[in-house]
């Protein structure tokens, strides 16, 4: 099997991201792919033939080898190795749930703390079979993640509209969305005008995670009860592994929070990031028993992480989440009607 050099470089980056490689390792392959897109194919072949690829800014030894092998009609060694070692299923189980999903309601681009442009997130979402993807960059209060002011969010909405216009008829929609911070009093960290303009809003706690249980319960119940809150993101805030270390889950009255979600048709997010795995099994079982809706999301910060849904699907299927209560198994019209009644 042969493939174009750009496709080989993007596939390598995707496989590195889904296997949780460092951003530094991935960056070179995505930068090389973007560089090649600006060079005519005939010129690329000339550079390969003359051994001059590395003279091009953005192409180094490793990426040059990939390009040379792809131009020569071969599967690059680096790609073959990654397909062999990391290309298999990320989780065993959950296949029926994953097959039922139509999209992902939580993803980040380089507009906040994601690592790739919006267009690359869209291209990858389409390649893995999604019908829709919610672009949920952060809100202003999360300055460490370059959260979007109302002005920047308005500009992003314009870009989303332009992307959807270009994709018209291709069976994919990029949803105008946000991961909005839940403030200390339970209100949401964005203007009413901008929240009104969105298709989907994921509301999450990112600050004061050690707040006392009573205060955290009131904070989350208030947020889950707001008309603009569609999905309660990574509800405990815990970290169970990964480069950021571990973090204990926040304490709150889960029954009260999930009841607010149930009554207000707010979906409880099953955050599929391996370092979050949130909510933990006991709380997820409680939310199932209480009749909550759910969204299985990746919280992807890079294109390859969009494959993380496999982890959430394994948990959802193993613990018995009914497919009809997973909102991102719904078609786009039903999803939008639920999110903006």
């Amino acid at each position: 099997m042969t493939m174009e050099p750009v496709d080989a470089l993007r596939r390598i980056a995707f496989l590195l991201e889904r296997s949780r490689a460092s951003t530094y390792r991935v960056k070179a392959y995505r930068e090389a792919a973007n560089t090649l897109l600006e060079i005519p194919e005939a010129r690329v072949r000339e550079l390969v033939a003359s051994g001059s690829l590395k003279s091009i800014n953005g192409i180094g030894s490793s990426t040059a080898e990939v390009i040379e092998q792809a131009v020569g009609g071969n599967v690059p060694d680096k790609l073959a190795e990654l397909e062999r070692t990391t290309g298999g299923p990320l989780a065993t189980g959950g296949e029926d749930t994953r097959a039922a999903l139509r999209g992902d309601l939580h993803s980040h681009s380089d507009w906040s703390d994601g690592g790739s442009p919006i267009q690359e997130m869209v291209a990858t979402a389409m390649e893995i079979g999604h019908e829709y993807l919610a672009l949920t960059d952060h809100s202003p209060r999360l300055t460490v993640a370059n959260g979007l002011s109302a002005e920047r969010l308005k500009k992003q909405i314009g870009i989303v509209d332009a992307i959807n216009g270009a994709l018209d008829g291709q069976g994919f929609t990029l949803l105008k969305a946000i991961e909005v911070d839940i403030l200390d009093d339970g209100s949401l960290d964005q203007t009413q005008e901008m929240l009104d303009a969105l298709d989907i809003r994921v509301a999450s706690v990112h600050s004061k995670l050690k707040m006392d249980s009573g205060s955290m319960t009131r904070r989350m119940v208030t947020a889950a009860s707001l008309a603009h809150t569609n999905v309660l993101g990574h509800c405990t805030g815990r970290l169970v592994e990964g480069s950021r270390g571990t973090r204990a889950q926040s304490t709150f009255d889960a029954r009260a929070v999930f009841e607010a979600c149930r009554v207000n048709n707010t979906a409880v997010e099953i955050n599929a990031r391996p370092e979050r795995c949130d909510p933990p099994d006991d709380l997820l079982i409680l939310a199932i028993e209480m009749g909550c809706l759910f969204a299985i999301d990746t919280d992807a910060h890079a294109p390859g992480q969009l494959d993380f849904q496999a982890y959430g699907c394994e948990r959802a299927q193993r613990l018995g989440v009914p497919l009809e209560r997973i909102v991102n198994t719904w078609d786009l019209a039903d999803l939008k009607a639920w999110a903006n009644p």
Side-chain angles (χ1 to χ4, degrees), residues 27 29 56 61 66-67 69 82-83 103 114 123 131 141 149 158 162 174 189-190 192 211 224 227 291 308 330 336:
K27 187 177 180 181
Y29 294 97
I56 303 299
S61 298
V66 170
I67 296 166
Q69 292 174 342
L82 285 170
E83 293 284 11
E131 296 175 21
R141 176 167 172 171
S149 64
L174 182 61
D189 180 38
Q190 190 50 268
Q192 293 293 305
M211 181 180 282
F308 285 176
W330 301 350
K336 283 188 169 183

Side-chain angles (χ1 to χ4, degrees), residues 124-200:
T124 301
M126 294 177 71
E127 286 164 3
I128 65 177
H130 284 333
E131 296 175 21
Y132 48 77
L133 175 70
L135 178 62
T136 55
D137 281 315
H138 289 285
S139 62
R141 176 167 172 171
L142 207 60
T143 55
V144 69
N146 194 27
L148 273 61
S149 64
E151 182 179 358
R152 289 183 66 219
L153 179 57
K154 187 173 184 179
K155 290 180 180 178
Q156 187 183 81
I157 287 172
I159 290 174
V160 172
D161 284 337
I163 289 172
N164 284 329
L167 293 174
D168 187 39
Q170 296 189 42
F172 180 87
T173 300
L174 182 61
L175 296 169
K176 293 171 281 193
I178 192 171
E179 182 181 17
V180 59
D181 262 35
I182 298 174
L183 302 178
D184 296 1
D185 63 356
S187 61
L188 303 182
D189 180 38
Q190 190 50 268
T191 66
Q192 293 293 305
E193 178 186 5
M194 296 314 302
L195 291 172
D196 284 342
L198 299 173
D199 299 311
I200 294 287

Side-chain angles (χ1 to χ4, degrees), residues 10 13-14 17-18 23 26 30 34 37 98 102-138 156 159-160 163-164 167 172-175 273 297-309:
R10 290 184 66 246
F14 175 87
E17 287 163 349
R18 79 193 288 269
T23 301
V26 177
R30 291 214 179 273
N34 291 334
L37 287 172
R98 176 63 188 88
R102 295 172 181 259
D104 191 336
L105 302 184
H106 190 166
S107 70
H108 298 273
S109 75
D110 60 3
W111 278 60
S112 63
D113 62 345
S116 290
I118 297 170
Q119 292 85 345
E120 185 67 30
M121 297 297 290
V122 168
T124 301
M126 294 177 71
E127 286 164 3
I128 65 177
H130 284 333
E131 296 175 21
Y132 48 77
L133 175 70
L135 178 62
T136 55
D137 281 315
H138 289 285
Q156 187 183 81
I159 290 174
V160 172
I163 289 172
N164 284 329
L167 293 174
F172 180 87
T173 300
L174 182 61
L175 296 169
R273 292 193 70 85
D297 297 331
T298 60
D299 194 356
H301 285 65
Q305 295 175 8
L306 289 169
D307 243 9
F308 285 176
Q309 273 190 323

Side-chain angles (χ1 to χ4, degrees), residues 189-255:
D189 180 38
Q190 190 50 268
T191 66
Q192 293 293 305
E193 178 186 5
M194 296 314 302
L195 291 172
D196 284 342
L198 299 173
D199 299 311
I200 294 287
R201 309 119 192 128
V202 177
S204 306
V205 172
H206 289 107
S207 62
K208 298 185 180 179
L209 294 170
K210 295 182 180 179
M211 181 180 282
D212 69 86
S213 178
S215 298
M216 184 64 84
T217 300
R218 287 189 293 274
R219 181 182 184 184
M220 295 176 69
V221 166
T222 298
S225 303
L226 295 174
H228 279 128
T229 301
N230 304 127
V231 179
L232 181 63
H234 49 70
C235 64
T236 77
R238 73 176 188 166
L239 294 174
V240 295
E241 60 176 73
S243 59
R244 290 187 289 171
T246 60
R247 180 170 64 210
Q249 63 194 61
S250 298
T251 58
F252 54 87
D253 182 343
R255 187 171 291 276

